[in-house]
mmCIF file of all heavy atoms in Angstrom:
data_model
loop_
_atom_site.group_PDB
_atom_site.id
_atom_site.type_symbol
_atom_site.label_atom_id
_atom_site.label_comp_id
_atom_site.label_asym_id
_atom_site.label_seq_id
_atom_site.Cartn_x
_atom_site.Cartn_y
_atom_site.Cartn_z
ATOM 1 N N LEU O 344 107.635 89.372 108.218
ATOM 2 C CA LEU O 344 106.935 89.676 109.388
ATOM 3 C C LEU O 344 107.085 88.640 110.496
ATOM 4 O O LEU O 344 106.432 88.694 111.541
ATOM 5 C CB LEU O 344 105.454 89.883 109.056
ATOM 6 C CG LEU O 344 105.169 90.976 108.016
ATOM 7 C CD1 LEU O 344 103.695 90.971 107.670
ATOM 8 C CD2 LEU O 344 105.614 92.342 108.446
ATOM 9 N N THR O 345 107.855 87.631 110.262
ATOM 10 C CA THR O 345 107.944 86.482 111.188
ATOM 11 C C THR O 345 108.580 86.922 112.526
ATOM 12 O O THR O 345 107.975 86.670 113.594
ATOM 13 C CB THR O 345 108.773 85.364 110.559
ATOM 14 O OG1 THR O 345 108.249 85.035 109.311
ATOM 15 C CG2 THR O 345 108.767 84.108 111.490
ATOM 16 N N HIS O 346 109.729 87.447 112.458
ATOM 17 C CA HIS O 346 110.505 87.731 113.741
ATOM 18 C C HIS O 346 109.704 88.640 114.684
ATOM 19 O O HIS O 346 109.536 88.374 115.867
ATOM 20 C CB HIS O 346 111.867 88.350 113.463
ATOM 21 C CG HIS O 346 112.617 88.750 114.704
ATOM 22 N ND1 HIS O 346 113.139 87.818 115.531
ATOM 23 C CD2 HIS O 346 112.948 89.982 115.201
ATOM 24 C CE1 HIS O 346 113.761 88.436 116.575
ATOM 25 N NE2 HIS O 346 113.652 89.723 116.336
ATOM 26 N N MET O 347 109.156 89.707 114.137
ATOM 27 C CA MET O 347 108.398 90.668 114.967
ATOM 28 C C MET O 347 107.148 89.992 115.563
ATOM 29 O O MET O 347 106.719 90.287 116.667
ATOM 30 C CB MET O 347 107.981 91.889 114.189
ATOM 31 C CG MET O 347 107.052 91.586 113.031
ATOM 32 S SD MET O 347 106.488 93.097 112.192
ATOM 33 C CE MET O 347 105.537 93.849 113.561
ATOM 34 N N SER O 348 106.605 89.014 114.853
ATOM 35 C CA SER O 348 105.360 88.381 115.321
ATOM 36 C C SER O 348 105.655 87.274 116.277
ATOM 37 O O SER O 348 104.795 86.890 117.060
ATOM 38 C CB SER O 348 104.593 87.839 114.159
ATOM 39 O OG SER O 348 104.286 88.876 113.162
ATOM 40 N N GLU O 349 106.908 86.691 116.234
ATOM 41 C CA GLU O 349 107.260 85.644 117.171
ATOM 42 C C GLU O 349 107.115 86.029 118.629
ATOM 43 O O GLU O 349 106.789 85.258 119.508
ATOM 44 C CB GLU O 349 108.690 85.168 116.898
ATOM 45 C CG GLU O 349 108.869 84.348 115.628
ATOM 46 C CD GLU O 349 110.267 83.893 115.388
ATOM 47 O OE1 GLU O 349 111.195 84.463 116.055
ATOM 48 O OE2 GLU O 349 110.445 82.945 114.612
ATOM 49 N N PHE O 350 107.323 87.290 118.951
ATOM 50 C CA PHE O 350 107.266 87.805 120.302
ATOM 51 C C PHE O 350 105.812 87.669 120.863
ATOM 52 O O PHE O 350 105.605 87.499 122.011
ATOM 53 C CB PHE O 350 107.618 89.294 120.385
ATOM 54 C CG PHE O 350 109.088 89.540 120.121
ATOM 55 C CD1 PHE O 350 109.554 89.843 118.858
ATOM 56 C CD2 PHE O 350 110.007 89.554 121.139
ATOM 57 C CE1 PHE O 350 110.897 90.119 118.654
ATOM 58 C CE2 PHE O 350 111.347 89.809 120.979
ATOM 59 C CZ PHE O 350 111.791 90.112 119.641
ATOM 60 N N ARG O 351 104.785 87.770 119.956
ATOM 61 C CA ARG O 351 103.433 88.115 120.410
ATOM 62 C C ARG O 351 102.542 86.931 120.726
ATOM 63 O O ARG O 351 101.459 86.753 120.180
ATOM 64 C CB ARG O 351 102.778 89.007 119.407
ATOM 65 C CG ARG O 351 103.506 90.358 119.156
ATOM 66 C CD ARG O 351 103.718 91.171 120.472
ATOM 67 N NE ARG O 351 102.453 91.389 121.184
ATOM 68 C CZ ARG O 351 101.641 92.402 120.894
ATOM 69 N NH1 ARG O 351 101.945 93.270 119.963
ATOM 70 N NH2 ARG O 351 100.611 92.565 121.648
ATOM 71 N N ALA O 352 102.988 86.083 121.670
ATOM 72 C CA ALA O 352 102.206 84.945 122.153
ATOM 73 C C ALA O 352 100.936 85.390 122.864
ATOM 74 O O ALA O 352 100.005 84.616 123.014
ATOM 75 C CB ALA O 352 103.078 84.135 123.094
ATOM 76 N N ASP O 353 100.904 86.693 123.230
ATOM 77 C CA ASP O 353 99.746 87.249 123.998
ATOM 78 C C ASP O 353 98.569 87.694 123.107
ATOM 79 O O ASP O 353 97.529 88.053 123.625
ATOM 80 C CB ASP O 353 100.248 88.460 124.769
ATOM 81 C CG ASP O 353 100.781 89.541 123.849
ATOM 82 O OD1 ASP O 353 101.580 89.234 122.945
ATOM 83 O OD2 ASP O 353 100.351 90.734 124.016
ATOM 84 N N ALA O 354 98.712 87.633 121.766
ATOM 85 C CA ALA O 354 97.804 88.395 120.893
ATOM 86 C C ALA O 354 96.909 87.531 120.003
ATOM 87 O O ALA O 354 96.377 88.023 119.045
ATOM 88 C CB ALA O 354 98.565 89.385 120.059
ATOM 89 N N HIS O 355 96.742 86.252 120.326
ATOM 90 C CA HIS O 355 95.853 85.384 119.528
ATOM 91 C C HIS O 355 94.438 85.303 120.170
ATOM 92 O O HIS O 355 94.281 85.570 121.349
ATOM 93 C CB HIS O 355 96.435 83.941 119.505
ATOM 94 C CG HIS O 355 97.799 83.870 118.815
ATOM 95 N ND1 HIS O 355 97.933 83.930 117.431
ATOM 96 C CD2 HIS O 355 99.047 83.773 119.328
ATOM 97 C CE1 HIS O 355 99.205 83.867 117.146
ATOM 98 N NE2 HIS O 355 99.912 83.751 118.274
ATOM 99 N N PRO O 356 93.464 84.892 119.405
ATOM 100 C CA PRO O 356 92.113 84.805 119.936
ATOM 101 C C PRO O 356 91.986 83.758 121.049
ATOM 102 O O PRO O 356 91.101 83.888 121.916
ATOM 103 C CB PRO O 356 91.226 84.336 118.694
ATOM 104 C CG PRO O 356 92.042 84.863 117.492
ATOM 105 C CD PRO O 356 93.441 84.739 117.915
ATOM 106 N N ALA O 357 92.813 82.727 121.010
ATOM 107 C CA ALA O 357 92.816 81.699 122.126
ATOM 108 C C ALA O 357 91.458 81.073 122.272
ATOM 109 O O ALA O 357 90.917 80.448 121.372
ATOM 110 C CB ALA O 357 93.338 82.278 123.395
ATOM 111 N N ILE O 358 90.847 81.307 123.418
ATOM 112 C CA ILE O 358 89.526 80.687 123.702
ATOM 113 C C ILE O 358 88.388 81.604 123.391
ATOM 114 O O ILE O 358 87.189 81.213 123.462
ATOM 115 C CB ILE O 358 89.389 80.226 125.201
ATOM 116 C CG1 ILE O 358 89.567 81.462 126.147
ATOM 117 C CG2 ILE O 358 90.479 79.166 125.445
ATOM 118 C CD1 ILE O 358 89.310 81.113 127.616
#
Side-chain angles (χ1 to χ4, degrees):
L344 303 175
T345 306
H346 176 68
M347 63 174 295
S348 305
E349 286 181 344
F350 291 93
R351 300 304 305 276
D353 60 312
H355 297 283
I358 61 174

